């Protein structure tokens, strides 16, 4: 996995500290994207031509940009939540017309749908987040390849119980199936557990408590030494990368733009 961006919506280029985070997006095996905006273009690998698919978590502009998907990525297949499929189709049709390029196939996926892309399976899960469209269900994703099961959770205030049950990490279910990796948003820093955004976003404290519960109940069985990665960090609510590296409690680690991680399953 390559992190193309690890910032929340308040990032807009280099800040006064000389720090830069692009908007949150990841690239899987150099061929599948989760979210994409123009800010991540320079983080694409050299020689990148087109993805097999792009999965969007929701329609906020710091995650979703049809013009960049068509113009930069030459994407052929787009997946969005089925609750806003018609709006997404219209967005991509308009972008296609403006750019003079073919419109990709736009597919709506309901919560719980498994999509197979080669040897990777991606399952759509409900997030705890809201857009201006009250009917839109935002998504987080389970990524599976062989014995690897990575939960990619942004944007969301914690992990909703329905998502936990679909993944198999609800502690109330005796025959659950653990994840082997966790990437979770931490829009707010360690001192912001009582921030008003906690209803729709997670803090470092949220991720730490979630991690402790998953580890103590055997729902997270990451290989030894593999961190839980933080992403979607707000510029105004976090220190620099160096400060995060020095202060985050184990096993949390702040991802950064361009970071590449190989996730492994348990032996």
């Amino acid at each position: 996995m390559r992190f193309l961006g690890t910032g929340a919506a308040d990032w807009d280029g280099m800040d006064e500290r000389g720090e830069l985070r692009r908007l949150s997006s990841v690239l899987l095996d150099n061929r599948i994207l989760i979210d994409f905006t123009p800010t991540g273009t320079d983080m694409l690998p050299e020689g990148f031509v087109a993805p097999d698919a792009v999965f969007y978590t929701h329609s906020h502009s710091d995650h979703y940009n049809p013009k960049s998907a068509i113009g930069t990525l030459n994407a052929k297949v787009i997946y969005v939540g089925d609750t806003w499929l018609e709006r997404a189709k219209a967005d991509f049709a308009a972008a296609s017309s403006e750019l003079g390029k073919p419109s990709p196939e736009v597919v709506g996926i309901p919560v719980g749908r498994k999509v197979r892309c080669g040897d990777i399976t991606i399952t759509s899960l409900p997030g705890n987040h809201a857009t201006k469209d009250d009917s839109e269900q935002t998504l987080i994703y389970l990524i599976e390849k062989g014995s690897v099961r990575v939960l990619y959770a942004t944007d969301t205030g914690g992990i909703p119980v329905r998502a936990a049950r679909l993944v198999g990490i609800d502690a109330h279910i005796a025959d659950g199936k653990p994840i082997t990796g966790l990437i979770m948003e931490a829009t707010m820093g360690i001192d912001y557990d009582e921030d008003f955004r906690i209803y729709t976003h997670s803090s470092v404290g949220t991720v730490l408590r979630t991690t402790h519960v998953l580890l103590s109940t055997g729902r997270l069985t990451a290989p030894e030494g593999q961190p839980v990665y933080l992403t979607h960090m707000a510029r105004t609510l976090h220190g620099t990368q160096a400060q995060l590296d020095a202060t985050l409690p184990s096993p949390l680690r702040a991802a950064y733009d361009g970071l590449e991680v190989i996730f492994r399953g348990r032996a």
Side-chain angles (χ1 to χ4, degrees):
M1 179 180 292
R2 173 181 285 206
F3 289 86
L4 305 182
T6 55
D10 63 349
W11 282 92
D12 183 21
M14 193 82 68
D15 72 3
E16 66 281 357
R17 306 168 298 186
E19 197 90 350
L20 173 62
R21 290 189 188 277
R22 296 156 186 83
L23 300 176
S24 293
S25 174
V26 291
L27 177 64
L28 315 176
D29 280 3
N30 287 334
R31 57 189 176 85
I32 299 168
L33 282 153
I34 300 180
D35 291 338
F36 187 75
T37 72
T39 67
T41 300
D42 64 336
M43 288 288 103
L44 290 169
E46 186 177 353
F48 184 84
V49 178
D52 292 350
V54 183
F55 291 79
Y56 287 104
T57 56
H58 62 296
S59 63
H60 279 156
S61 60
D62 59 320
H63 296 260
Y64 169 72
N65 187 294
K67 286 180 67 174
S68 61
I70 295 173
T72 302
L73 299 177
N74 297 306
K76 301 298 187 291
V77 182
I78 302 294
Y79 292 96
V80 300
D82 64 346
T83 56
W84 59 288
L85 173 61
E86 295 308 314
R87 178 158 50 92
K89 283 184 174 180
D91 290 344
F92 275 94
S96 174
S97 177
E98 181 178 344
L99 295 171
K101 300 185 70 172
S103 185
E105 179 185 8
V106 184
V107 180
I109 47 176
V111 165
R113 174 65 54 85
K114 293 180 181 292
V115 178
R116 184 87 174 179
C117 295
D119 56 355
I120 292 177
T121 299
I122 296 180
T123 305
S124 54
L125 308 164
N128 177 28
H129 191 61
T131 69
K132 291 182 178 180
D133 178 358
D134 288 339
S135 66
E136 180 180 342
Q137 172 61 65
T138 61
L139 300 176
I140 60 180
Y141 290 106
L142 176 67
I143 305 160
E144 298 178 279
K145 179 180 178 180
S147 62
V148 174
R149 306 183 81 233
V150 176
L151 180 59
Y152 182 79
T154 184
D155 295 10
T156 183
I159 299 175
V161 65
R162 188 180 178 199
R165 289 182 177 176
L166 286 167
V167 174
I169 56 174
D170 183 349
H172 295 93
I173 300 175
D175 58 345
K177 187 175 182 182
I179 55 175
T180 59
L182 175 61
I183 301 161
M184 194 166 173
E185 71 134 292
T187 301
M188 293 87 74
I190 196 74
D191 297 322
Y192 292 91
D193 273 354
E194 297 184 9
D195 187 275
F196 71 94
R197 283 159 283 218
I198 205 73
Y199 294 106
T200 190
H201 283 293
S202 297
S203 66
V204 170
T206 307
V207 181
L208 188 61
R209 289 189 294 273
T210 300
T211 299
H212 285 167
V213 169
L214 293 176
L215 288 171
S216 66
T217 59
R219 265 53 183 180
L220 172 59
T221 57
E224 186 176 355
Q226 178 180 285
V228 167
Y229 290 96
L230 306 184
T231 191
H232 201 269
M233 289 164 279
R235 178 184 62 82
T236 53
L237 303 176
H238 283 279
T240 63
Q241 181 72 37
Q243 290 168 331
L244 287 166
D245 288 343
T247 60
L248 280 176
S250 179
L252 305 189
R253 182 183 178 192
Y256 54 84
D257 299 5
L259 173 66
E260 292 189 344
V261 178
I262 296 175
F263 286 93
R264 304 190 187 279
R266 297 287 290 184

